[in-house]
Amino acid sequence: MPPADCESGLSAAGGAADGNPGHWRKYYRQLLVLAYQSCGVVYGDLSTSPLYVYKSTFITGSLRRFADEEIVFGVFSLVFWTLTLIPLLKYVFIVLAADDNGEGGTFALYSLLVRHAKFSLMPNQEAADEELTSYYRPGYAPQETPILTALRSFLENHRKSRTFLLVTVLFGASLVIGDGVLTPAMSVLSSFSGLQVHSSKLTNGEVLLLSCTVLVCLFTLQHWGTHRVAFLFAPVVIAWLLLLAALGVYNVVVWNPRVLRAFSPYYLLRFFQRTGRDGWISLGGILLSMTGTEAMYADLGHFTAASIRVAFVGLIYPCLVLQYMGQAAFLSKSPNCDIRFIFFESIPTRIFWPVLVIATMAAIVGSQAVISATFSIVRQCTALGCFPRVKIVHTSRRIHGQIYSPEINWILMVLCIAVTVGLRDTTLIGNAYGMACAAVMLVTTLLMALVIVFVWQYSCLVAALFLAAFGVVEAVYLSAALMKVPQGGWLPLALSLAFVAVMYVWHYGTRRKHQFDVENKVSLKWIHALGPSLGIVRVPGIGIIYSELATGVPAIFSHFVTNLPAFHQVLVFICVKAVPVPHVRVEERHLVGRIGPREFRMYRCVVRHGYKDVLGEDTDFENDLVLRIAEFVQMEAAGDQRCSSDDGGSVEGRMAVVPRPSDLARTGLLMREPGEEESVVARAATAARPESLHSMHEAESPGFANRRRVRFEVADEHTDPRVKEELSALVEAKHAGVAYIMGHSYIKARKSSSVFKKFAVNVAYAFLRKNCRGPAVALNIPHISLIEVGMIYYV
């Protein structure tokens, strides 16, 4: 089931549990199972931070000359208050509440703003989309104040401000994708470097080879799916966390119990008083204690907010605090230890090898959180038209948010191995890692401030306090990370800029193509002048024409009419479009309407999906479409109020939300399964269809063999002869066969365009379009039934 449904299901179970202990037990059992799974997917990265935080802090900030007890206590105090302020207070208690129907991440925040504050640059948005159940937050009602009105007006009326907001979101998303490259390299290389503590003969090259081998295995496992990986990895992370807590307590008791005093902010202040600029630069190392926090929010769709909170507060946070405290106790009494291997140095010799094995396994698991988050981010970007189409595999039948993308997985693997081999040093990778972590957190904070004002509808003062409490702290951390740009910090910037360029070029090309369609719609007068025959021969059958326009007739339709010698008896314009919600309910997914007069037999069906919905193969699509059109015809004849006027005027007629009819009587059709008595029309259509073509269709389209084969008949109780005639024509066309027609359009920049635009459209967008999945493949259109007509758009 979808994550949003899962979250609401937990809430519903709790609500229904009043006076019913069985419901309570089911609710808590499901909550604890999800919390258990989240340990293996969400918190693997955060739990491996103790491997490198103290090392990076003392090396990057040149703090070794200050390494006395007070400074070590100050470093621990910084780590403790950083963990408390950002992951615990900001993310667990505030940001997780800003879910978009159970989904998280920077795009979830952007989606909330698009719907509630009209900041969208997405094409094809209609007023009918606002009637979706999940479009607005429950209980939302617009409230206007002078400050809010002025801010909303500025952002809505200035296109550059909305473009800046979109680029900011794309930059945040690209940073998360960059984390998917850096996290595995950092975690795995840090864990294997521990081998050199007791195996001095092991060279850096051998450690590098082992790390690359493990990375290849990690990315190869991804096709199993998140739920299988979670059950495989969760025990490792939980054992690792318990081991961290035990080692922390041991080191505190054995080495320096006075470290408990470091909980006081006094040591934090003394740290900066004594270290000055070196202390500020060392914040780049402290920052690594928060790595993986953003993945906690981005992976929200895989689990629930409640399960993530339970896991963090009940296990993750206390175990990490105990481990950092234990390392500080050891370091305060061992100033001459090798700071590069501080974690492994603090382990008692007798249990060193078992801990090293578990640490290595935990480091491997730690990469899973960001890899899963990367798949989610890419899927969201693709759905919203900001990333080239890639293959998305739905890996779980129960949890809708668990997906896998082969292309993205292998790209991440290649980049990750390249970073590992190219940088080799965990200090340099840590500098890059910290830079990405700080930047994406700051982006989330800025978007959250807007959500507080426009979605939660709190005052601007509350948003300002949120920015002051968290944004200022994160800006300080980012400033320290920026100091390390020459020493590895350039890498996430380069990766992010590359991903942002790909995203924005694709979004720009898609938007320009849609704009051309809008500006060159076929006019109503032209369609009427053609007459019911459209000026060509109308042959039996249904022609499904895919269009990117939700209203009006696209320019490519005139290209079809002038290039094809005949057209089908019934034409249906299909528009598959994304709306800025995570999931669209099945019963709200289809809008059906009419184009032109009744005798033209031209219809429109708008299929709406959310940015988290996976467009899987619909094995009953053609039958569903016939039933929906039939019900629309009945609703139209009855003057149903659900048929609402559309912006297209008389070209569009009236549009209605038409779910799949549960009662066939509402459609005026009878449906017979194979083997039942068939009508004369059905038998004639079956005899007329070439069996060889039918066999070829099944051979080339594996999903077609699984399609439900039914025959439709018109019921006899119709009183309106026009309705009966229209339904008869629809049934006859369905029995004659269905063809899919798609425009194979290219866009090119005009000769008068700037050099930048020519490069973006003619080179960059054309390259991405040529190397991504085609729309026919993405929509699972049977190849043998597909007709493509080429056309060039000059934009």
Side-chain angles (χ1 to χ4, degrees), residues 88-161:
L88 183 64
L89 293 182
K90 176 191 165 184
Y91 277 90
V92 172
F93 290 113
I94 300 178
V95 175
L96 284 181
D99 67 292
D100 185 11
N101 295 283
E103 301 296 336
T106 52
F107 263 99
L109 295 176
Y110 180 66
S111 174
L112 287 171
L113 291 171
V114 162
R115 302 201 307 269
H116 294 79
K118 317 300 182 191
F119 296 159
S120 178
L121 286 174
M122 292 175 59
N124 237 4
Q125 301 307 299
E126 303 173 285
D129 297 337
E130 299 183 20
E131 299 175 6
L132 293 170
T133 304
S134 58
Y135 197 85
Y136 292 109
R137 289 177 67 87
Y140 173 81
Q143 298 177 3
E144 297 295 337
T145 63
I147 297 178
L148 184 60
T149 302
L151 183 59
R152 187 194 302 274
S153 176
F154 174 81
L155 291 172
E156 290 181 1
N157 296 331
H158 291 78
R159 188 177 186 86
K160 290 184 178 179
S161 64

Side-chain angles (χ1 to χ4, degrees), residues 519-542:
E519 294 173 352
N520 295 274
K521 290 181 182 179
V522 175
S523 68
L524 174 62
K525 291 182 180 180
W526 187 81
I527 294 178
H528 274 219
L530 294 176
S533 68
L534 299 179
I536 54 178
V537 179
R538 300 291 290 270
V539 298
I542 296 178

Side-chain angles (χ1 to χ4, degrees), residues 502-630:
V502 169
M503 292 177 183
Y504 191 76
V505 165
W506 184 262
H507 176 76
Y508 176 78
T510 303
R511 190 154 44 87
R512 294 292 297 177
K513 183 178 175 182
H514 180 267
Q515 185 178 347
F516 181 93
D517 274 331
V518 171
E519 294 173 352
N520 295 274
K521 290 181 182 179
V522 175
S523 68
L524 174 62
K525 291 182 180 180
W526 187 81
I527 294 178
H528 274 219
L530 294 176
S533 68
L534 299 179
I536 54 178
V537 179
R538 300 291 290 270
V539 298
I542 296 178
I544 297 178
I545 303 173
Y546 280 88
S547 165
E548 295 182 1
L549 287 180
T551 59
V553 178
I556 204 166
F557 176 70
S558 62
H559 205 56
F560 289 153
V561 172
T562 55
N563 284 275
L564 297 178
F567 235 145
H568 298 82
Q569 175 185 355
V570 175
L571 295 179
V572 184
F573 287 82
I574 298 284
C575 174
V576 180
K577 73 166 193 172
V579 290
V581 297
H583 302 285
V584 177
R585 294 184 177 183
V586 176
E587 60 270 20
E588 296 179 325
R589 185 161 292 171
H590 296 79
L591 278 170
V592 180
R594 184 189 300 281
I595 298 177
R598 183 188 297 267
E599 59 270 17
F600 279 50
R601 303 289 189 259
M602 294 170 62
Y603 307 92
R604 175 180 301 286
C605 179
V606 179
V607 184
R608 301 178 291 185
H609 64 91
Y611 60 80
K612 284 282 190 173
D613 288 324
V614 176
L615 294 177
E617 184 172 358
D618 188 350
T619 57
D620 212 20
F621 172 73
E622 295 170 4
N623 297 329
D624 282 353
L625 184 62
V626 170
L627 291 174
R628 288 189 170 94
I629 293 175

